[in-house]
Amino acid sequence: MNSQPNLDELQRRIGYQFKQPERLLLALTHRSFGNQNNERLEFLGDSIVNMVIAEHLYQHFEKAREGQLSRLRARMVKGVTLAEIGREFELGKYLRLGSGELKSGGFRRESILADAIESIIGAIYLDSDFYTCREQVLRWFEHRLARLDIQDTQKDPKTRLQEYLQSRQFPLPNYEVISVDGEAHNQTFHVSCALPSLDRKTTGTGSSRRVAEQQAARNALKQLGVETES
């Protein structure tokens, strides 16, 4: 969380030694810190991680259909998963953030951690080659990839609820934030999901609005009898 993070320590954590450490430094630099930041590296890394994960899934799930592969990939490359990897590396303490982001706890923010992971992937690619970068990505994702099951490729609750309502020509649900608790760096969102045509309303709670909305949608599906309690 400072202008001169301990790059040697971080390189040991991620398992890659940069030939040009300034690339790693740039990957850790959020746009709030200055004009020279990690946004371009993030763009590059996003494409690479999608390609690497897609290739792995294609090779390891030979009987999977395109839709199943897409959902498995989405689960691996979504912000939540990337942020989890960032936390495993304790990435927050190495980030270079502007004063505003520092005060608001940006070093813990899911989106910032996820973007930084993608930026580091982009930096590794530029510092080495695609094959080295691919090995690195697969190493980071190894345990998560090993736990994937082709039988568990359902769409997320919001999508399933939307498709259920559309198939019956009902209006789409309305999501609304009821309240937000906690400090800026550690918030809990409370969200409602209203189904006007069915006179139903459910609630959900989560560490982000997205997570809370998914829980509210899942509870709506249960109320509708589409899904059972798990």
Side-chain angles (χ1 to χ4, degrees), residues 103-120:
K103 290 177 182 177
S104 66
F107 56 93
R108 295 191 185 96
R109 189 164 298 128
E110 182 179 285
S111 60
I112 291 179
L113 290 170
D115 291 348
I117 285 293
E118 289 178 336
S119 300
I120 292 174

Side-chain angles (χ1 to χ4, degrees), residues 39-56:
E39 287 187 324
R40 284 171 54 83
L41 285 174
E42 176 199 337
F43 164 79
L44 183 60
D46 174 70
S47 299
I48 293 169
V49 73
N50 271 276
M51 169 58 193
V52 170
I53 297 301
E55 179 189 47
H56 176 89

Side-chain angles (χ1 to χ4, degrees), residues 19-31:
K19 303 178 186 70
Q20 298 185 40
E22 62 270 19
R23 285 179 169 144
L24 175 57
L25 189 64
L26 182 61
L28 298 171
T29 306
H30 187 256
R31 63 177 178 271

Side-chain angles (χ1 to χ4, degrees), residues 30-73:
H30 187 256
R31 63 177 178 271
S32 62
F33 191 85
N35 291 329
Q36 295 294 318
N37 56 61
N38 64 8
E39 287 187 324
R40 284 171 54 83
L41 285 174
E42 176 199 337
F43 164 79
L44 183 60
D46 174 70
S47 299
I48 293 169
V49 73
N50 271 276
M51 169 58 193
V52 170
I53 297 301
E55 179 189 47
H56 176 89
L57 296 174
Y58 181 85
Q59 293 176 344
H60 286 77
F61 294 96
E62 295 180 357
K63 296 182 179 180
R65 298 184 300 275
E66 184 272 339
Q68 292 175 308
L69 292 172
S70 294
R71 287 190 285 277
L72 288 174
R73 181 182 60 181

